[in-house]
Amino acid sequence: MAAAAAAAPGALGTLQAGRARLVAACCARLGPGWRLSGSWTVPRVDPETRARSWIPAAGGAAWRRGYSSEVKTEDELRVRYLEEENRGIVVLGINRAYAKNSLSTNLIKMLSKAVDALKSDKKVRTIIVRSEVPGIFCAANLPVPTIAAIDGLALGGGLELALACDIRVAASSAKMGLVETKLAIIPGGGGTQRLPRAIGMSLAKELIFSARVLDGQAAKAVGLISHVLEQNQEGDAAYRKALDLAREFLPQGPVAMRVAKLAINQGMEVDLVTGLAIEEACYAQTIPTKDRLEGLLAFKEKRTPRYKGE
């Protein structure tokens, strides 16, 4: 396909060849092990490199963005695998109460390590990112659905972490915003790229330029979050909604969920024709799976399918 497209004359041949390479790259991601995460064009930045950014360089060079390197004895990241009817749901709990959940070198390393482990765990169906610190929030590039549960503050890096998730839910009392311009810097954790993709370029510019902070209702109105809930006495209304959504996802075929996420994410970065080709390539990867056969058999036998992610 790629060779034929490259032989086509003029700009059309170039475009077709580019599309062929994009689809080929998509298919490569669906190879052995179903490692579906990552990006075609942006290399993965390791935690230490990210942690070193925005700090004064040697010799008085320009400032680069930095994160706190302070490490406490308490667990900054708590990974919980839920059981029984919630089996398949993993909760990543951020727990830096003393630093209001600001991102530290240690926390970034822990997040990266957890993400790498979860990527290859086929038993994981949905991941919820939440705060273990009351009133404060703040996966990452994971192949399974991710939900950000915002029950408190999600400012700066906290909102950028939430924007990296597939779905965001928040309490009406939550506060969200990219406030870096108040500090004479810009969002450097993906905010300038993910916010426009979530709510549109014009609104994203307005919010970043003004460093405006939104509550849950305002965030819902601009499309920043999918659901807004009145906060409960326990202070975990958003987490409970995220758990309800995760339970909705659990019965679905895990391979199909991963491939659907990949098709959506990669398709949104290209033109429609290329996106449809990506969808076709992703669809083809679900045909030979045992899960597809199990789904057909369960439908025929009028029972609940027992998917294994194979």
Side-chain angles (χ1 to χ4, degrees), residues 10-308:
L12 179 59
T14 302
L15 178 60
Q16 289 174 335
R19 287 172 177 165
R21 287 193 294 271
L22 290 173
V23 173
C26 178
C27 292
R29 297 176 187 282
L30 295 166
W34 296 100
R35 297 182 66 82
L36 306 180
S37 59
S39 170
W40 289 339
T41 57
V42 181
R44 183 175 182 273
V45 179
D46 64 90
E48 291 184 272
T49 300
R50 182 180 292 276
R52 286 197 301 268
S53 60
W54 292 111
I55 58 176
W63 279 78
R64 298 173 296 166
R65 182 172 178 173
Y67 299 103
S68 167
S69 60
E70 184 179 8
V71 178
K72 297 290 185 179
T73 56
E74 63 180 320
D75 292 336
E76 294 189 349
L77 181 69
R78 295 173 179 172
V79 182
R80 291 191 294 127
Y81 290 76
L82 304 189
E83 298 293 338
E84 299 178 354
E85 72 273 10
N86 296 322
R87 186 181 299 275
I89 301 173
V90 175
V91 179
L92 297 181
I94 301 172
N95 184 49
R96 297 190 77 226
Y98 57 91
K100 295 186 178 180
N101 280 355
S102 61
L103 299 180
S104 67
T105 303
N106 187 54
L107 177 57
I108 292 172
K109 288 181 178 179
M110 294 178 73
L111 279 168
S112 179
K113 184 177 180 180
V115 165
D116 287 342
L118 293 170
K119 280 180 183 178
S120 58
D121 190 342
K122 293 184 179 180
K123 295 181 180 179
V124 177
R125 305 292 184 85
T126 300
I127 296 166
I128 297 173
V129 182
R130 69 173 304 207
S131 172
E132 300 283 341
V133 182
I136 299 172
F137 179 89
C138 169
N141 191 14
L142 286 156
V144 297
T146 54
I147 307 171
I150 307 170
D151 276 304
L153 297 177
L155 304 176
L159 181 55
E160 288 177 304
L161 179 60
L163 284 166
C165 295
D166 299 310
I167 300 166
R168 290 166 294 280
V169 299
S172 57
S173 57
K175 303 295 182 183
M176 291 155 273
L178 296 178
V179 298
E180 286 86 348
T181 52
K182 283 188 176 181
L183 303 175
I185 58 174
I186 71 169
T192 63
Q193 302 306 305
R194 291 192 175 101
L195 187 62
R197 286 166 167 80
I199 66 173
M201 185 185 297
S202 181
L203 262 177
K205 287 179 177 178
E206 180 179 331
L207 294 182
I208 291 174
F209 294 167
S210 65
R212 188 179 305 156
V213 176
L214 306 178
D215 62 17
Q217 295 290 351
K220 176 68 166 61
V222 300
L224 180 56
I225 61 175
S226 300
H227 302 274
V228 59
L229 302 309
E230 289 298 322
Q231 188 58 282
N232 55 29
Q233 291 184 347
E234 292 78 14
D236 64 354
Y239 170 67
R240 294 192 182 195
K241 178 62 179 179
L243 196 55
D244 287 342
L245 290 172
R247 289 181 183 130
E248 276 192 77
F249 302 161
L250 279 180
Q252 322 312 329
V255 171
M257 295 287 280
R258 289 172 177 237
V259 178
K261 175 172 175 172
L262 178 66
I264 295 169
N265 286 354
Q266 306 293 17
M268 288 297 293
E269 300 300 321
V270 297
D271 62 273
L272 179 59
V273 174
T274 306
L276 290 172
I278 291 172
E279 179 185 76
E280 182 179 359
C282 289
Y283 178 83
Q285 297 297 319
T286 66
I287 299 303
T289 64
K290 295 179 181 178
D291 279 355
R292 185 185 71 89
L293 298 177
E294 166 62 15
L296 292 173
L297 184 60
F299 179 78
K300 181 179 179 180
E301 297 176 353
K302 298 181 180 179
R303 61 171 174 82
T304 301
R306 296 182 289 271
Y307 296 126
K308 297 181 179 179

